PDB file of all heavy atoms in Angstrom:
ATOM      1  N   VAL A   1       0.813  -1.228   0.000  1.00 84.00           N
ATOM      2  CA  VAL A   1       0.000   0.000   0.000  1.00 84.00           C
ATOM      3  C   VAL A   1       0.841   1.271   0.000  1.00 84.00           C
ATOM      4  O   VAL A   1       0.313   2.359  -0.209  1.00 84.00           O
ATOM      5  CB  VAL A   1      -0.968   0.021   1.203  1.00 84.00           C
ATOM      6  CG1 VAL A   1      -1.858  -1.194   1.194  1.00 84.00           C
ATOM      7  CG2 VAL A   1      -0.208   0.097   2.528  1.00 84.00           C
ATOM      8  N   GLY A   2       2.160   1.166   0.253  1.00 80.00           N
ATOM      9  CA  GLY A   2       3.020   2.344   0.238  1.00 80.00           C
ATOM     10  C   GLY A   2       3.404   2.797   1.633  1.00 80.00           C
ATOM     11  O   GLY A   2       2.863   2.337   2.639  1.00 80.00           O
ATOM     12  N   VAL A   3       4.373   3.731   1.697  1.00 76.00           N
ATOM     13  CA  VAL A   3       4.935   4.130   2.990  1.00 76.00           C
ATOM     14  C   VAL A   3       3.970   4.971   3.824  1.00 76.00           C
ATOM     15  O   VAL A   3       3.917   4.823   5.046  1.00 76.00           O
ATOM     16  CB  VAL A   3       6.267   4.900   2.796  1.00 76.00           C
ATOM     17  CG1 VAL A   3       7.384   3.958   2.436  1.00 76.00           C
ATOM     18  CG2 VAL A   3       6.137   5.991   1.748  1.00 76.00           C
ATOM     19  N   LEU A   4       3.201   5.845   3.193  1.00 72.00           N
ATOM     20  CA  LEU A   4       2.280   6.671   3.984  1.00 72.00           C
ATOM     21  C   LEU A   4       1.148   5.852   4.602  1.00 72.00           C
ATOM     22  O   LEU A   4       0.939   5.896   5.819  1.00 72.00           O
ATOM     23  CB  LEU A   4       1.711   7.805   3.119  1.00 72.00           C
ATOM     24  CG  LEU A   4       2.527   9.106   3.105  1.00 72.00           C
ATOM     25  CD1 LEU A   4       1.925  10.098   2.125  1.00 72.00           C
ATOM     26  CD2 LEU A   4       2.604   9.713   4.487  1.00 72.00           C
ATOM     27  N   PRO A   5       0.420   5.051   3.820  1.00 79.00           N
ATOM     28  CA  PRO A   5      -0.570   4.179   4.453  1.00 79.00           C
ATOM     29  C   PRO A   5       0.089   3.159   5.375  1.00 79.00           C
ATOM     30  O   PRO A   5      -0.525   2.677   6.326  1.00 79.00           O
ATOM     31  CB  PRO A   5      -1.258   3.481   3.265  1.00 79.00           C
ATOM     32  CG  PRO A   5      -0.985   4.348   2.090  1.00 79.00           C
ATOM     33  CD  PRO A   5       0.353   4.951   2.352  1.00 79.00           C
ATOM     34  N   GLY A   6       1.358   2.839   5.091  1.00 75.00           N
ATOM     35  CA  GLY A   6       2.073   1.890   5.935  1.00 75.00           C
ATOM     36  C   GLY A   6       2.214   2.366   7.364  1.00 75.00           C
ATOM     37  O   GLY A   6       2.246   1.552   8.296  1.00 75.00           O
ATOM     38  N   ILE A   7       2.324   3.688   7.559  1.00 69.00           N
ATOM     39  CA  ILE A   7       2.369   4.241   8.917  1.00 69.00           C
ATOM     40  C   ILE A   7       1.080   3.899   9.659  1.00 69.00           C
ATOM     41  O   ILE A   7       1.099   3.463  10.817  1.00 69.00           O
ATOM     42  CB  ILE A   7       2.551   5.770   8.864  1.00 69.00           C
ATOM     43  CG1 ILE A   7       3.976   6.117   8.471  1.00 69.00           C
ATOM     44  CG2 ILE A   7       2.238   6.397  10.216  1.00 69.00           C
ATOM     45  CD1 ILE A   7       4.990   5.941   9.561  1.00 69.00           C
ATOM     46  N   ILE A   8      -0.065   4.097   8.992  1.00 75.00           N
ATOM     47  CA  ILE A   8      -1.354   3.788   9.617  1.00 75.00           C
ATOM     48  C   ILE A   8      -1.465   2.290   9.881  1.00 75.00           C
ATOM     49  O   ILE A   8      -1.938   1.876  10.954  1.00 75.00           O
ATOM     50  CB  ILE A   8      -2.518   4.261   8.713  1.00 75.00           C
ATOM     51  CG1 ILE A   8      -2.334   5.748   8.351  1.00 75.00           C
ATOM     52  CG2 ILE A   8      -3.838   4.030   9.402  1.00 75.00           C
ATOM     53  CD1 ILE A   8      -2.252   6.672   9.541  1.00 75.00           C
ATOM     54  N   VAL A   9      -1.034   1.489   8.917  1.00 77.00           N
ATOM     55  CA  VAL A   9      -1.029   0.036   9.112  1.00 77.00           C
ATOM     56  C   VAL A   9      -0.196  -0.321  10.343  1.00 77.00           C
ATOM     57  O   VAL A   9      -0.586  -1.154  11.171  1.00 77.00           O
ATOM     58  CB  VAL A   9      -0.477  -0.682   7.867  1.00 77.00           C
ATOM     59  CG1 VAL A   9      -0.243  -2.171   8.147  1.00 77.00           C
ATOM     60  CG2 VAL A   9      -1.433  -0.529   6.692  1.00 77.00           C
ATOM     61  N   GLY A  10       0.959   0.339  10.475  1.00 73.00           N
ATOM     62  CA  GLY A  10       1.836   0.073  11.612  1.00 73.00           C
ATOM     63  C   GLY A  10       1.188   0.403  12.940  1.00 73.00           C
ATOM     64  O   GLY A  10       1.282  -0.367  13.902  1.00 73.00           O
ATOM     65  N   ILE A  11       0.511   1.545  13.006  1.00 74.00           N
ATOM     66  CA  ILE A  11      -0.147   1.941  14.253  1.00 74.00           C
ATOM     67  C   ILE A  11      -1.282   0.972  14.584  1.00 74.00           C
ATOM     68  O   ILE A  11      -1.437   0.546  15.740  1.00 74.00           O
ATOM     69  CB  ILE A  11      -0.683   3.381  14.132  1.00 74.00           C
ATOM     70  CG1 ILE A  11       0.491   4.364  14.041  1.00 74.00           C
ATOM     71  CG2 ILE A  11      -1.567   3.730  15.322  1.00 74.00           C
ATOM     72  CD1 ILE A  11       0.074   5.767  13.732  1.00 74.00           C
ATOM     73  N   LEU A  12      -2.069   0.600  13.577  1.00 79.00           N
ATOM     74  CA  LEU A  12      -3.162  -0.343  13.819  1.00 79.00           C
ATOM     75  C   LEU A  12      -2.638  -1.701  14.278  1.00 79.00           C
ATOM     76  O   LEU A  12      -3.209  -2.338  15.170  1.00 79.00           O
ATOM     77  CB  LEU A  12      -4.000  -0.502  12.548  1.00 79.00           C
ATOM     78  CG  LEU A  12      -4.803   0.734  12.112  1.00 79.00           C
ATOM     79  CD1 LEU A  12      -5.524   0.463  10.798  1.00 79.00           C
ATOM     80  CD2 LEU A  12      -5.794   1.139  13.193  1.00 79.00           C
ATOM     81  N   LEU A  13      -1.524  -2.132  13.694  1.00 76.00           N
ATOM     82  CA  LEU A  13      -0.943  -3.405  14.111  1.00 76.00           C
ATOM     83  C   LEU A  13      -0.365  -3.311  15.520  1.00 76.00           C
ATOM     84  O   LEU A  13      -0.408  -4.276  16.285  1.00 76.00           O
ATOM     85  CB  LEU A  13       0.131  -3.845  13.121  1.00 76.00           C
ATOM     86  CG  LEU A  13      -0.384  -4.440  11.808  1.00 76.00           C
ATOM     87  CD1 LEU A  13       0.759  -4.720  10.854  1.00 76.00           C
ATOM     88  CD2 LEU A  13      -1.177  -5.708  12.057  1.00 76.00           C
ATOM     89  N   SER A  14       0.201  -2.140  15.874  1.00 74.00           N
ATOM     90  CA  SER A  14       0.686  -1.954  17.246  1.00 74.00           C
ATOM     91  C   SER A  14      -0.461  -2.090  18.237  1.00 74.00           C
ATOM     92  O   SER A  14      -0.331  -2.734  19.282  1.00 74.00           O
ATOM     93  CB  SER A  14       1.339  -0.572  17.393  1.00 74.00           C
ATOM     94  OG  SER A  14       2.574  -0.517  16.732  1.00 74.00           O
ATOM     95  N   LEU A  15      -1.600  -1.476  17.891  1.00 78.00           N
ATOM     96  CA  LEU A  15      -2.768  -1.582  18.765  1.00 78.00           C
ATOM     97  C   LEU A  15      -3.291  -3.019  18.810  1.00 78.00           C
ATOM     98  O   LEU A  15      -3.673  -3.515  19.871  1.00 78.00           O
ATOM     99  CB  LEU A  15      -3.859  -0.629  18.283  1.00 78.00           C
ATOM    100  CG  LEU A  15      -3.527   0.866  18.382  1.00 78.00           C
ATOM    101  CD1 LEU A  15      -4.636   1.704  17.765  1.00 78.00           C
ATOM    102  CD2 LEU A  15      -3.289   1.277  19.825  1.00 78.00           C
ATOM    103  N   ALA A  16      -3.282  -3.682  17.653  1.00 79.00           N
ATOM    104  CA  ALA A  16      -3.726  -5.080  17.624  1.00 79.00           C
ATOM    105  C   ALA A  16      -2.801  -5.958  18.455  1.00 79.00           C
ATOM    106  O   ALA A  16      -3.238  -6.878  19.156  1.00 79.00           O
ATOM    107  CB  ALA A  16      -3.775  -5.572  16.182  1.00 79.00           C
ATOM    108  N   TYR A  17      -1.502  -5.653  18.370  1.00 74.00           N
ATOM    109  CA  TYR A  17      -0.507  -6.404  19.143  1.00 74.00           C
ATOM    110  C   TYR A  17      -0.763  -6.219  20.641  1.00 74.00           C
ATOM    111  O   TYR A  17      -0.675  -7.167  21.424  1.00 74.00           O
ATOM    112  CB  TYR A  17       0.881  -5.888  18.766  1.00 74.00           C
ATOM    113  CG  TYR A  17       2.036  -6.673  19.323  1.00 74.00           C
ATOM    114  CD1 TYR A  17       2.236  -7.993  18.951  1.00 74.00           C
ATOM    115  CD2 TYR A  17       2.938  -6.081  20.198  1.00 74.00           C
ATOM    116  CE1 TYR A  17       3.311  -8.714  19.446  1.00 74.00           C
ATOM    117  CE2 TYR A  17       4.007  -6.798  20.700  1.00 74.00           C
ATOM    118  CZ  TYR A  17       4.197  -8.110  20.311  1.00 74.00           C
ATOM    119  OH  TYR A  17       5.254  -8.814  20.808  1.00 74.00           O
ATOM    120  N   LEU A  18      -1.109  -4.995  21.044  1.00 78.00           N
ATOM    121  CA  LEU A  18      -1.423  -4.717  22.447  1.00 78.00           C
ATOM    122  C   LEU A  18      -2.722  -5.408  22.857  1.00 78.00           C
ATOM    123  O   LEU A  18      -2.795  -6.053  23.918  1.00 78.00           O
ATOM    124  CB  LEU A  18      -1.533  -3.203  22.659  1.00 78.00           C
ATOM    125  CG  LEU A  18      -2.006  -2.738  24.033  1.00 78.00           C
ATOM    126  CD1 LEU A  18      -1.001  -3.141  25.106  1.00 78.00           C
ATOM    127  CD2 LEU A  18      -2.235  -1.235  24.038  1.00 78.00           C
ATOM    128  N   ILE A  19      -3.748  -5.286  22.026  1.00 81.00           N
ATOM    129  CA  ILE A  19      -5.048  -5.868  22.352  1.00 81.00           C
ATOM    130  C   ILE A  19      -4.955  -7.384  22.468  1.00 81.00           C
ATOM    131  O   ILE A  19      -5.619  -7.998  23.306  1.00 81.00           O
ATOM    132  CB  ILE A  19      -6.091  -5.457  21.296  1.00 81.00           C
ATOM    133  CG1 ILE A  19      -6.386  -3.957  21.414  1.00 81.00           C
ATOM    134  CG2 ILE A  19      -7.378  -6.253  21.450  1.00 81.00           C
ATOM    135  CD1 ILE A  19      -7.226  -3.401  20.290  1.00 81.00           C
ATOM    136  N   GLN A  20      -4.105  -7.982  21.636  1.00 79.00           N
ATOM    137  CA  GLN A  20      -3.953  -9.429  21.698  1.00 79.00           C
ATOM    138  C   GLN A  20      -3.564  -9.888  23.099  1.00 79.00           C
ATOM    139  O   GLN A  20      -4.107 -10.859  23.627  1.00 79.00           O
ATOM    140  CB  GLN A  20      -2.900  -9.879  20.684  1.00 79.00           C
ATOM    141  CG  GLN A  20      -2.645 -11.384  20.721  1.00 79.00           C
ATOM    142  CD  GLN A  20      -1.253 -11.739  20.236  1.00 79.00           C
ATOM    143  OE1 GLN A  20      -0.361 -10.896  20.197  1.00 79.00           O
ATOM    144  NE2 GLN A  20      -1.064 -12.983  19.863  1.00 79.00           N
ATOM    145  N   PHE A  21      -2.621  -9.172  23.697  1.00 78.00           N
ATOM    146  CA  PHE A  21      -2.168  -9.554  25.034  1.00 78.00           C
ATOM    147  C   PHE A  21      -3.143  -9.111  26.118  1.00 78.00           C
ATOM    148  O   PHE A  21      -3.289  -9.783  27.142  1.00 78.00           O
ATOM    149  CB  PHE A  21      -0.776  -8.968  25.302  1.00 78.00           C
ATOM    150  CG  PHE A  21       0.312  -9.688  24.561  1.00 78.00           C
ATOM    151  CD1 PHE A  21       0.797  -9.201  23.365  1.00 78.00           C
ATOM    152  CD2 PHE A  21       0.839 -10.869  25.056  1.00 78.00           C
ATOM    153  CE1 PHE A  21       1.789  -9.875  22.679  1.00 78.00           C
ATOM    154  CE2 PHE A  21       1.831 -11.549  24.374  1.00 78.00           C
ATOM    155  CZ  PHE A  21       2.306 -11.054  23.178  1.00 78.00           C
ATOM    156  N   MET A  22      -3.812  -7.981  25.889  1.00 83.00           N
ATOM    157  CA  MET A  22      -4.779  -7.527  26.876  1.00 83.00           C
ATOM    158  C   MET A  22      -6.019  -8.412  26.889  1.00 83.00           C
ATOM    159  O   MET A  22      -6.630  -8.620  27.934  1.00 83.00           O
ATOM    160  CB  MET A  22      -5.170  -6.076  26.591  1.00 83.00           C
ATOM    161  CG  MET A  22      -4.036  -5.080  26.764  1.00 83.00           C
ATOM    162  SD  MET A  22      -3.378  -5.073  28.436  1.00 83.00           S
ATOM    163  CE  MET A  22      -4.791  -4.489  29.346  1.00 83.00           C
ATOM    164  N   ALA A  23      -6.397  -8.925  25.713  1.00 86.00           N
ATOM    165  CA  ALA A  23      -7.614  -9.728  25.620  1.00 86.00           C
ATOM    166  C   ALA A  23      -7.433 -11.122  26.203  1.00 86.00           C
ATOM    167  O   ALA A  23      -8.382 -11.710  26.723  1.00 86.00           O
ATOM    168  CB  ALA A  23      -8.063  -9.829  24.159  1.00 86.00           C
ATOM    169  N   ARG A  24      -6.244 -11.664  26.111  1.00 86.00           N
ATOM    170  CA  ARG A  24      -5.978 -13.006  26.642  1.00 86.00           C
ATOM    171  C   ARG A  24      -4.695 -12.977  27.473  1.00 86.00           C
ATOM    172  O   ARG A  24      -3.687 -13.568  27.104  1.00 86.00           O
ATOM    173  CB  ARG A  24      -5.843 -14.022  25.494  1.00 86.00           C
ATOM    174  CG  ARG A  24      -7.112 -14.246  24.700  1.00 86.00           C
ATOM    175  CD  ARG A  24      -8.192 -14.894  25.566  1.00 86.00           C
ATOM    176  NE  ARG A  24      -9.411 -15.153  24.806  1.00 86.00           N
ATOM    177  CZ  ARG A  24     -10.414 -14.310  24.676  1.00 86.00           C
ATOM    178  NH1 ARG A  24     -10.352 -13.100  25.237  1.00 86.00           N
ATOM    179  NH2 ARG A  24     -11.488 -14.630  23.992  1.00 86.00           N
ATOM    180  N   PRO A  25      -4.720 -12.291  28.606  1.00 89.00           N
ATOM    181  CA  PRO A  25      -3.499 -12.176  29.420  1.00 89.00           C
ATOM    182  C   PRO A  25      -3.181 -13.494  30.129  1.00 89.00           C
ATOM    183  O   PRO A  25      -4.005 -14.411  30.190  1.00 89.00           O
ATOM    184  CB  PRO A  25      -3.855 -11.081  30.417  1.00 89.00           C
ATOM    185  CG  PRO A  25      -5.337 -11.196  30.569  1.00 89.00           C
ATOM    186  CD  PRO A  25      -5.857 -11.592  29.220  1.00 89.00           C
ATOM    187  N   PHE A  26      -1.996 -13.560  30.685  1.00 87.00           N
ATOM    188  CA  PHE A  26      -1.643 -14.705  31.508  1.00 87.00           C
ATOM    189  C   PHE A  26      -2.457 -14.676  32.806  1.00 87.00           C
ATOM    190  O   PHE A  26      -2.848 -13.616  33.298  1.00 87.00           O
ATOM    191  CB  PHE A  26      -0.149 -14.692  31.838  1.00 87.00           C
ATOM    192  CG  PHE A  26       0.724 -14.989  30.662  1.00 87.00           C
ATOM    193  CD1 PHE A  26       1.504 -13.990  30.092  1.00 87.00           C
ATOM    194  CD2 PHE A  26       0.776 -16.263  30.127  1.00 87.00           C
ATOM    195  CE1 PHE A  26       2.309 -14.264  29.003  1.00 87.00           C
ATOM    196  CE2 PHE A  26       1.584 -16.544  29.039  1.00 87.00           C
ATOM    197  CZ  PHE A  26       2.348 -15.547  28.475  1.00 87.00           C
ATOM    198  N   ASP A  27      -2.723 -15.858  33.328  1.00 88.00           N
ATOM    199  CA  ASP A  27      -3.423 -15.968  34.601  1.00 88.00           C
ATOM    200  C   ASP A  27      -2.842 -17.153  35.356  1.00 88.00           C
ATOM    201  O   ASP A  27      -1.982 -17.872  34.837  1.00 88.00           O
ATOM    202  CB  ASP A  27      -4.924 -16.112  34.397  1.00 88.00           C
ATOM    203  CG  ASP A  27      -5.288 -17.377  33.629  1.00 88.00           C
ATOM    204  OD1 ASP A  27      -4.372 -18.076  33.138  1.00 88.00           O
ATOM    205  OD2 ASP A  27      -6.487 -17.690  33.507  1.00 88.00           O
ATOM    206  N   ALA A  28      -3.293 -17.365  36.567  1.00 86.00           N
ATOM    207  CA  ALA A  28      -2.753 -18.466  37.366  1.00 86.00           C
ATOM    208  C   ALA A  28      -3.733 -18.843  38.464  1.00 86.00           C
ATOM    209  O   ALA A  28      -4.398 -17.982  39.045  1.00 86.00           O
ATOM    210  CB  ALA A  28      -1.415 -18.080  37.979  1.00 86.00           C
ATOM    211  N   VAL A  29      -3.807 -20.149  38.730  1.00 86.00           N
ATOM    212  CA  VAL A  29      -4.445 -20.667  39.945  1.00 86.00           C
ATOM    213  C   VAL A  29      -3.320 -20.815  40.969  1.00 86.00           C
ATOM    214  O   VAL A  29      -2.253 -21.345  40.660  1.00 86.00           O
ATOM    215  CB  VAL A  29      -5.124 -22.019  39.681  1.00 86.00           C
ATOM    216  CG1 VAL A  29      -5.691 -22.588  40.977  1.00 86.00           C
ATOM    217  CG2 VAL A  29      -6.217 -21.857  38.641  1.00 86.00           C
ATOM    218  N   LEU A  30      -3.574 -20.329  42.198  1.00 82.00           N
ATOM    219  CA  LEU A  30      -2.515 -20.268  43.199  1.00 82.00           C
ATOM    220  C   LEU A  30      -2.663 -21.368  44.241  1.00 82.00           C
ATOM    221  O   LEU A  30      -3.772 -21.829  44.539  1.00 82.00           O
ATOM    222  CB  LEU A  30      -2.522 -18.900  43.886  1.00 82.00           C
ATOM    223  CG  LEU A  30      -2.410 -17.678  42.966  1.00 82.00           C
ATOM    224  CD1 LEU A  30      -2.367 -16.403  43.799  1.00 82.00           C
ATOM    225  CD2 LEU A  30      -1.184 -17.770  42.065  1.00 82.00           C
ATOM    226  N   CYS A  31      -1.526 -21.758  44.792  1.00 77.00           N
ATOM    227  CA  CYS A  31      -1.497 -22.752  45.872  1.00 77.00           C
ATOM    228  C   CYS A  31      -0.400 -22.354  46.846  1.00 77.00           C
ATOM    229  O   CYS A  31       0.428 -21.485  46.566  1.00 77.00           O
ATOM    230  CB  CYS A  31      -1.217 -24.145  45.314  1.00 77.00           C
ATOM    231  SG  CYS A  31       0.412 -24.288  44.522  1.00 77.00           S
ATOM    232  N   SER A  32      -0.380 -22.976  48.004  1.00 68.00           N
ATOM    233  CA  SER A  32       0.675 -22.744  48.995  1.00 68.00           C
ATOM    234  C   SER A  32       1.665 -23.896  48.934  1.00 68.00           C
ATOM    235  O   SER A  32       1.362 -24.971  48.399  1.00 68.00           O
ATOM    236  CB  SER A  32       0.087 -22.630  50.400  1.00 68.00           C
ATOM    237  OG  SER A  32      -0.601 -23.830  50.736  1.00 68.00           O
ATOM    238  N   ALA A  33       2.860 -23.687  49.469  1.00 61.00           N
ATOM    239  CA  ALA A  33       3.903 -24.710  49.444  1.00 61.00           C
ATOM    240  C   ALA A  33       4.505 -24.857  50.826  1.00 61.00           C
ATOM    241  O   ALA A  33       4.669 -23.865  51.562  1.00 61.00           O
ATOM    242  CB  ALA A  33       4.980 -24.341  48.429  1.00 61.00           C
ATOM    243  N   GLU A  34       4.851 -26.070  51.162  1.00 57.00           N
ATOM    244  CA  GLU A  34       5.471 -26.346  52.453  1.00 57.00           C
ATOM    245  C   GLU A  34       6.797 -25.612  52.560  1.00 57.00           C
ATOM    246  O   GLU A  34       7.648 -25.684  51.671  1.00 57.00           O
ATOM    247  CB  GLU A  34       5.710 -27.862  52.615  1.00 57.00           C
ATOM    248  CG  GLU A  34       4.441 -28.699  52.740  1.00 57.00           C
ATOM    249  CD  GLU A  34       3.727 -28.459  54.055  1.00 57.00           C
ATOM    250  OE1 GLU A  34       4.387 -28.018  55.007  1.00 57.00           O
ATOM    251  OE2 GLU A  34       2.504 -28.704  54.128  1.00 57.00           O
ATOM    252  N   GLY A  35       6.969 -24.886  53.675  1.00 53.00           N
ATOM    253  CA  GLY A  35       8.239 -24.223  53.932  1.00 53.00           C
ATOM    254  C   GLY A  35       8.469 -22.961  53.133  1.00 53.00           C
ATOM    255  O   GLY A  35       9.556 -22.390  53.170  1.00 53.00           O
ATOM    256  N   ARG A  36       7.471 -22.467  52.381  1.00 55.00           N
ATOM    257  CA  ARG A  36       7.621 -21.249  51.579  1.00 55.00           C
ATOM    258  C   ARG A  36       6.528 -20.253  51.943  1.00 55.00           C
ATOM    259  O   ARG A  36       5.409 -20.625  52.240  1.00 55.00           O
ATOM    260  CB  ARG A  36       7.523 -21.568  50.081  1.00 55.00           C
ATOM    261  CG  ARG A  36       8.736 -22.301  49.523  1.00 55.00           C
ATOM    262  CD  ARG A  36       8.492 -22.664  48.070  1.00 55.00           C
ATOM    263  NE  ARG A  36       9.655 -23.273  47.462  1.00 55.00           N
ATOM    264  CZ  ARG A  36      10.524 -22.617  46.693  1.00 55.00           C
ATOM    265  NH1 ARG A  36      10.350 -21.331  46.455  1.00 55.00           N
ATOM    266  NH2 ARG A  36      11.547 -23.239  46.171  1.00 55.00           N
TER     267      ARG A  36
END
């Protein structure tokens, strides 16, 4: 699409890259451990 539209593509992909991690973040079930 060219360098000028490429800037917009880049910004949209940056946001998509952020949303990807925000939408499915890491999580954990927690437990306790002996002696810790």
Side-chain angles (χ1 to χ4, degrees):
V1 303
V3 285
L4 271 175
I7 286 284
I8 307 302
V9 170
I11 292 172
L12 292 177
L13 283 175
S14 288
L15 294 175
Y17 188 64
L18 173 64
I19 291 171
Q20 178 206 19
F21 286 98
M22 294 300 295
R24 294 295 182 270
F26 290 109
D27 62 353
V29 176
L30 304 183
C31 63
S32 60
E34 292 291 337
R36 288 176 176 261

